[in-house]
Amino acid sequence: MKNITFDAIVVGTGISGGWAAKELCEKGLKTLVLERGRNVEHIQDYDDMLHPWELPYRGKITRNDRKNSPIQSGVYNYNERSKKYFVNDLDNPYIQDKPFEWARGYQVGGRSLIWGRQSYRRSELDFEANARDGFGNDWPIRYKDIEPWYDYIEPFVGIAGSYEGLPHLPDSKFQPPMPMNCVEKEVSRRIEGKFKDGRMIIHGRTANHTQAIGGRGPCQFKGSCGAGHACSFGGYFSSNSATLPAAAKTGNMILRPFSMVQEVLYDKDTRRATGVRVVDTETLEQKEFFAKIIFLNASTLNTTAILLNSKSDVFPNGMGNESEQLGHNLMDMPYGMGARGIFEGCEDKYTFGSRPTGIFIPRFRNLTEATQQKDYLRGFTYQGGAGRGRKAGSGFGEDFKNSLKDPADHWSMSITAWAEHLPYYENKMYLHKEKKDKYGMPVICIDCEFKENEANMVEDMMNCAAEILEAGGLKNVETYNRNKIPGSCIHETGTARMGNNPKTSVLNKWNQIHAVKNVFVTDGSAMCSSGTTPGPSITYMALTARAVDYAVKELNRRNL
Amino acid sequence: MIKRYNRRQFITNGCVRLGVVLVASGGIFNSSCSNNENGTPAERDKIILFLNELGNIIIPPGEVPGAKDADVGLYISKIVADCYSDEDQIKYYEDIESINTTCFNKFGKKFLDCTQKQKHELVADMEIKHNGYMNIKSKIVSAYLTSEIGMTKFFKYHMVPGYYDGYATSPSWI
């Protein structure tokens, strides 16, 4: 493959890399798609159809797992079956200047195999937020710029949700929502109109399909996606189920697994990138590949590491880092604060099937003058749901055995908050000066924390959750805070932010590096703010499709 | 009993001998300390048998097979050896030992040597108050319910439900 020049190179095969591959290939570009991990074939490499009792540990994490992956094994959906989609932490070290849980999946499909699938558009409020309160830099785009691209990607993604017409939570192009259960329905009815600030319960919006899209889906409600097991029915969107097969179908994609990009190559005469330097992760051999345009989609921290490691006379501090913002403004999202209670009623009702989503409560703080908070900026949303499990029986013998089938006396319901993390220059990642991993790549150091604004929201998130449940008639309501550390939301963003000013940002409004126009960055690193609402992935997807469209037009205009 | 301060030492010695009380009572593990931290195969087999017999008192066979048919002992031994932390392993062996000691104090013999009636009596006692029994019981219950028998014969199993119903009129597992 050496010396072959491709039209395009895509680095990474996760949720944004898959879209870059699909769009570039469908526009006729010969595209080399590089993935540092092994291949994972849709369906044939999945274990979701094994019965739980067929697994030696029936899902449990072993001592060896905890030893080899001390960080990954703490991720919520890491288990015996899903662990093959998470990295070995010993082989892939990083340094935590402050505690930061970095979930990683190095394989074809990346973390799109194990993602949370909740999907919410950013609103005008999100794009204006930085300009309004001065934290971070102004987004170079507004909702109208991205709206057609949400419209474009969503029917292919396949998002189940309900049309609500809320300005602060724009509707997607939805498939029918997944139904609420009897308690969720009743609680949402009871809180209707009870809160002046408009708190309401709507359907969770999820990239699980209630209608088939080509050969994908619909969802069979077997619960394997939430547990990180992938889905042989293609019931949810992943690169493996959707974008990569579409890219492959064009005949324009060459997918090369075991190819870790360490550097973007640069030609100072043309002031363009020429290609990438790759280390084969099986043989440790170095290779170079060349292309007219390069899309970096290696995930926020790894994309930024590649740029920081792409040093030259022109870019002594890393490619595109004249602003010295590269690696800075790292955000995640604080989450895990909420409330739970029991519901009296619906005792003759139960649930059937494992629904891969729940209910959602849109933002209601700092939307208007009337909802302005004294103690903090921006806001939060809730996800949750109601359910009914089994009773904890007592005793022993035949009666006890039979009692193990008894349903719990009551339904219970909980809601948990996800909040905005402001961009702070001091929250950052950088490359260690000496330490390298076994592939020769400098080790990433992470120095990130939640600060005052995030801390000031915590109590309000717990109290509002309790108020909502109490208004919904739940009893024995109690609040909780899971004290999650940064990173554990797996929404890390912001380390190569967009902006209009090359002096204060890395990328322009088309996700191009200001100084290197043929390099596009369209993963989470491009974000200027975390947004108040979670489910950031569809924003990466929309930005990717938009950037590819622009890149190909620029190529045709001979501007790249 | 093993005291807190020497727990670490206990595991690093690689010994499943369960303290002086066990040795005095003959225990179910009456061999001496081995170099394998999970015990000799014979010791492991005895623990498996113990868990299965205790399991059958708690979840007896009936219309649906019970804990012993589901071989709860084998599965519990496996996850204890391969999944539990050092601390949890020690606690587990202490709990088994504690049950055995209670048994020896009550009937002057090992649990496995007791009659069915005596085993029932012992479990009835321990249900009221016992250090360790509840812990072992919960492992037995969970091992049973996650076994093939538990999931498919005791409960109704729906590998591919196909739809969601939030107004179902009966529990999905019955």
Side-chain angles (χ1 to χ4, degrees):
Chain A
M1 247 191 283
K2 208 175 173 186
N3 295 328
I4 295 178
T5 294
F6 295 88
D7 293 327
I9 289 173
V10 176
V11 181
T13 56
I15 223 147
S16 67
W19 268 100
K22 170 185 180 290
E23 295 299 296
L24 289 162
C25 289
E26 288 181 347
K27 289 178 189 296
L29 275 69
K30 293 282 175 204
T31 304
L32 175 66
V33 178
L34 299 168
E35 165 55 52
R36 64 185 290 170
R38 71 188 187 285
N39 194 18
V40 173
E41 282 291 341
H42 183 46
I43 301 173
Q44 77 182 50
D45 289 336
Y46 299 163
D47 292 331
D48 61 319
M49 297 306 282
L50 284 174
H51 301 297
W53 62 86
E54 291 175 324
L55 303 164
Y57 305 108
R58 299 181 194 162
K60 285 195 188 307
I61 300 170
T62 67
R63 290 164 66 96
N64 268 339
D65 297 335
R66 286 196 294 269
K67 195 176 101 216
N68 296 328
S69 292
I71 295 150
Q72 308 308 304
S73 60
V75 177
Y76 76 98
N77 59 354
Y78 180 101
N79 53 55
E80 186 180 11
R81 212 186 304 226
S82 69
K83 66 188 178 193
K84 65 180 192 173
Y85 304 132
F86 289 86
V87 301
N88 176 313
D89 285 316
L90 303 185
D91 286 345
N92 300 281
Y94 68 96
I95 293 167
Q96 302 176 58
D97 291 349
K98 298 192 181 89
F100 190 94
E101 183 182 288
W102 186 17
R104 290 163 295 165
Y106 295 160
Q107 63 267 328
V108 168
R111 292 183 295 188
S112 78
L113 285 164
I114 47 179
W115 69 308
R117 305 167 317 287
Q118 289 287 300
S119 300
Y120 301 89
R121 288 189 181 192
R122 298 275 165 271
S123 71
E124 188 67 350
L125 204 61
D126 291 304
F127 289 108
E128 284 178 353
N130 290 6
R132 274 170 193 254
D133 60 37
F135 279 88
N137 68 325
D138 190 14
W139 279 89
I141 57 168
R142 287 294 182 265
Y143 183 67
K144 66 174 170 35
D145 297 307
I146 196 172
E147 185 180 19
W149 296 100
Y150 282 133
D151 289 348
Y152 173 74
I153 59 142
E154 285 162 352
F156 184 81
V157 174
I159 300 166
S162 54
Y163 290 94
E164 305 289 345
L166 303 169
H168 51 287
L169 188 70
D171 294 323
S172 289
K173 300 276 179 204
F174 290 126
Q175 294 193 345
M178 291 188 165
M180 289 188 199
N181 59 46
C182 56
V183 169
E184 291 161 352
K185 199 94 191 161
E186 177 59 18
V187 171
S188 77
R189 191 190 63 76
R190 288 182 190 178
I191 70 162
E192 242 178 68
K194 276 212 180 148
F195 292 97
K196 277 191 193 142
D197 55 23
R199 297 178 208 184
M200 62 190 296
I201 293 179
I202 65 171
H203 293 270
R205 298 174 175 179
T206 185
N208 289 83
H209 319 316
T210 46
Q211 291 170 340
I213 307 169
R216 296 189 274 136
C219 171
Q220 298 296 309
F221 298 90
K222 64 193 182 64
S224 59
C225 57
H229 303 164
C231 181
S232 292
F233 293 86
Y236 71 99
F237 175 89
S238 67
S239 298
N240 311 62
S241 72
T243 45
L244 293 175
K249 201 174 149 196
T250 64
N252 290 326
M253 177 172 74
I254 294 178
L255 174 63
R256 192 176 196 278
F258 300 115
S259 303
M260 177 194 196
V261 172
Q262 296 198 340
E263 185 185 353
V264 179
L265 305 170
Y266 181 73
D267 177 0
K268 64 180 176 194
D269 296 330
T270 59
R271 295 194 294 165
R272 293 285 184 267
T274 54
V276 293
R277 180 174 60 79
V278 160
V279 167
D280 187 305
T281 52
E282 286 189 303
T283 65
L284 302 186
E285 228 179 307
Q286 303 220 10
K287 285 186 190 306
E288 291 181 350
F289 297 112
F290 303 97
K292 294 173 200 160
I293 53 172
I294 294 162
F295 269 72
L296 292 181
N297 301 90
S299 81
T300 293
L301 297 174
N302 283 320
T303 285
T304 307
I306 292 168
L307 289 173
L308 285 169
N309 199 43
S310 301
K311 291 180 184 169
S312 60
D313 296 345
V314 181
F315 302 113
N317 300 319
M319 182 176 281
N321 196 16
E322 307 88 280
S323 63
E324 296 186 3
Q325 294 292 333
L326 193 59
H328 292 269
N329 313 300
L330 174 59
M331 297 163 274
D332 184 35
M333 292 184 89
Y335 85 107
M337 310 75 177
R340 61 180 154 251
I342 60 161
F343 185 86
E344 289 172 355
C346 297
E347 278 88 10
D348 57 344
K349 296 285 188 295
Y350 310 87
T351 63
F352 179 83
S354 180
R355 188 186 50 179
T357 185
I359 55 97
F360 187 77
I361 298 172
R363 172 178 177 176
F364 51 88
R365 293 300 203 205
N366 291 326
L367 287 176
T368 57
E369 284 289 310
T371 58
Q372 201 78 33
Q373 299 301 298
K374 285 201 308 284
D375 300 333
Y376 61 85
L377 300 165
R378 311 204 189 182
F380 52 85
T381 62
Y382 294 104
Q383 294 172 46
R388 190 175 182 188
R390 290 182 300 106
K391 206 179 199 161
S394 64
F396 67 101
E398 194 60 34
D399 288 348
F400 169 70
K401 184 182 176 188
N402 289 331
S403 77
L404 291 170
K405 287 184 181 169
D406 292 345
D409 291 335
H410 298 293
W411 288 69
S412 55
M413 181 164 175
S414 69
I415 54 174
T416 301
W418 269 252
E420 181 140 9
H421 188 189
L422 290 178
Y424 306 102
Y425 182 80
E426 318 82 85
N427 278 347
K428 63 180 185 291
M429 61 147 285
Y430 56 95
L431 300 182
H432 196 276
K433 286 201 168 67
E434 286 114 40
K435 280 189 189 151
K436 293 186 172 177
D437 65 18
K438 68 181 203 183
Y439 312 107
M441 184 71 182
V443 167
I444 290 174
C445 307
I446 304 174
D447 181 351
C448 182
E449 63 181 9
F450 297 135
K451 294 181 191 285
E452 201 184 339
N453 196 64
E454 293 76 37
N456 286 352
M457 268 190 261
V458 169
E459 209 179 293
D460 200 34
M461 291 191 271
M462 292 161 70
N463 290 342
C464 290
E467 286 168 14
I468 292 167
L469 293 186
E470 273 164 3
L474 283 115
K475 301 280 157 56
N476 303 346
V477 172
E478 50 185 34
T479 60
Y480 54 83
N481 178 5
R482 297 195 192 122
N483 293 306
K484 300 302 251 182
I485 60 170
S488 51
C489 192
I490 327 185
H491 289 169
E492 68 276 10
T493 51
T495 46
R497 70 187 186 189
M498 299 165 77
N500 284 321
N501 186 348
K503 291 198 175 101
T504 57
S505 59
V506 180
L507 310 170
N508 69 11
K509 65 175 177 180
W510 300 107
N511 297 74
Q512 281 173 301
I513 293 182
H514 286 297
V516 191
K517 296 279 189 243
N518 65 337
V519 178
F520 293 79
V521 177
T522 65
D523 59 20
S525 58
M527 299 296 108
C528 296
S529 64
S530 77
T532 281
T533 306
S537 299
I538 57 165
T539 299
Y540 311 157
M541 299 187 227
L543 284 178
T544 302
R546 178 175 175 268
V548 169
D549 182 69
Y550 176 78
V552 173
K553 282 178 182 153
E554 283 290 281
L555 263 184
N556 293 339
R557 290 182 204 120
R558 303 194 179 278
N559 286 338
L560 292 180
Chain B
M1 294 300 292
I2 301 145
K3 296 209 171 71
R4 284 264 159 198
Y5 60 81
N6 65 6
R7 284 183 150 210
R8 182 67 51 181
Q9 190 60 39
F10 178 79
I11 209 83
T12 50
N13 282 349
C15 177
V16 287
R17 188 181 55 186
L18 298 169
V20 285
V21 179
L22 170 79
V23 175
S25 66
I28 51 168
F29 326 102
N30 44 17
S31 71
S32 60
C33 182
S34 82
N35 286 326
N36 176 346
E37 75 176 54
N38 299 312
T40 64
E43 283 166 341
R44 267 195 77 164
D45 287 351
K46 274 190 183 164
I47 295 181
I48 291 169
L49 191 58
F50 168 83
L51 292 167
N52 280 339
E53 290 300 329
L54 177 62
N56 252 18
I57 304 295
I58 296 167
I59 306 175
E63 219 172 290
V64 178
K68 189 175 182 178
D69 298 306
D71 209 350
V72 294
L74 182 68
Y75 172 68
I76 294 170
S77 296
K78 193 172 174 61
I79 58 168
V80 167
D82 296 347
C83 301
Y84 280 29
S85 66
D86 290 355
E87 287 288 298
D88 289 346
Q89 285 184 348
I90 291 170
K91 169 88 173 87
Y92 163 81
Y93 287 119
E94 280 178 2
D95 289 342
I96 290 180
E97 165 57 9
S98 165
I99 293 171
N100 214 48
T101 303
T102 304
C103 182
F104 194 84
N105 290 342
K106 191 173 171 70
F107 298 117
K109 53 184 168 182
K110 292 178 257 182
F111 181 80
L112 289 174
D113 294 335
C114 287
T115 63
Q116 280 298 102
K117 194 166 166 284
Q118 287 170 326
K119 287 175 186 168
H120 271 96
E121 225 181 296
L122 177 74
V123 168
D125 279 3
M126 294 191 297
E127 280 281 339
I128 296 162
K129 191 173 188 284
H130 192 266
N131 247 345
Y133 164 76
M134 281 302 169
N135 205 15
I136 299 297
K137 178 185 170 184
S138 75
K139 292 185 204 326
I140 288 169
V141 171
S142 141
Y144 178 72
L145 296 179
T146 57
S147 69
E148 182 171 4
I149 285 172
M151 289 194 77
T152 65
K153 292 199 165 74
F154 184 72
F155 287 145
K156 206 184 252 180
Y157 180 56
H158 307 275
M159 188 185 203
V160 183
Y163 64 94
Y164 179 76
D165 181 0
Y167 292 78
T169 50
S170 65
S172 61
W173 57 87
I174 294 177

